[in-house]
Amino acid sequence: QVQLMESGGGLVQPGGSLTLTCQASESVNAMGWYRQAPEKQRERVALTTSDGSIRYADPVKGRFRISRDDAQKTVSLQMNSLKPEDTAVYYCYAEKDQYRLRTVVGHDLFWGQGTQVTVSS
């Protein structure tokens, strides 16, 4: 199965920047980032698909940028203008298409262990 390893989390002051990187053990189709703050549900932050489509959650639009390098099997999340509200555990996420003959019938879902991002003075 696919293994995902995140790196880059840490403590940063409000307004600062941080870049997260996720390394996948094998090629996948969609890759992205979710986050979960204490006492809140896990939410999607950004997602990129094999066809180049990129989706951002409204709270991070204009501040975060997702990019992927399929040759390296990595996806990164550049986070700028960080706010205390961005504090959360960030999880790398990946999907791998499942086929019956040549028809996609579902996806296998994979999660990294998570990396803590804390935005505070």
Side-chain angles (χ1 to χ4, degrees):
Q1 65 176 23
V2 176
Q3 297 182 45
L4 305 173
M5 184 68 69
E6 306 103 331
S7 62
L11 174 65
V12 64
Q13 292 185 324
S17 299
L18 205 62
T19 299
L20 307 180
T21 300
C22 175
Q23 175 73 59
S25 61
E26 62 185 85
S27 297
V28 295
N29 299 102
M31 295 190 75
W33 294 89
Y34 283 67
R35 68 185 182 186
Q36 187 167 24
E39 308 301 323
K40 292 186 177 181
Q41 294 182 327
R42 188 172 298 186
E43 64 178 354
R44 186 174 65 198
V45 177
L47 183 70
T48 179
T49 60
S50 296
D51 64 1
S53 176
I54 298 175
R55 309 168 192 168
Y56 293 99
D58 287 341
V60 308
K61 287 181 178 178
R63 298 189 297 119
F64 291 10
R65 185 171 68 181
I66 190 171
S67 61
R68 67 188 294 172
D69 186 332
D70 289 334
Q72 296 290 326
K73 301 182 181 66
T74 60
V75 62
S76 295
L77 184 69
Q78 183 179 7
M79 304 182 292
N80 301 314
S81 302
L82 283 163
K83 305 174 181 179
E85 305 92 272
D86 296 317
T87 296
V89 176
Y90 284 70
Y91 296 90
C92 183
Y93 169 84
E95 297 179 1
K96 192 175 181 66
D97 294 344
Q98 298 298 305
Y99 290 85
R100 288 181 183 172
L101 297 178
R102 294 185 178 184
T103 302
V104 177
V105 297
H107 308 279
D108 285 342
L109 312 180
F110 305 95
W111 296 93
Q113 291 297 311
T115 184
Q116 177 71 47
V117 173
T118 302
V119 184
S120 176
S121 298

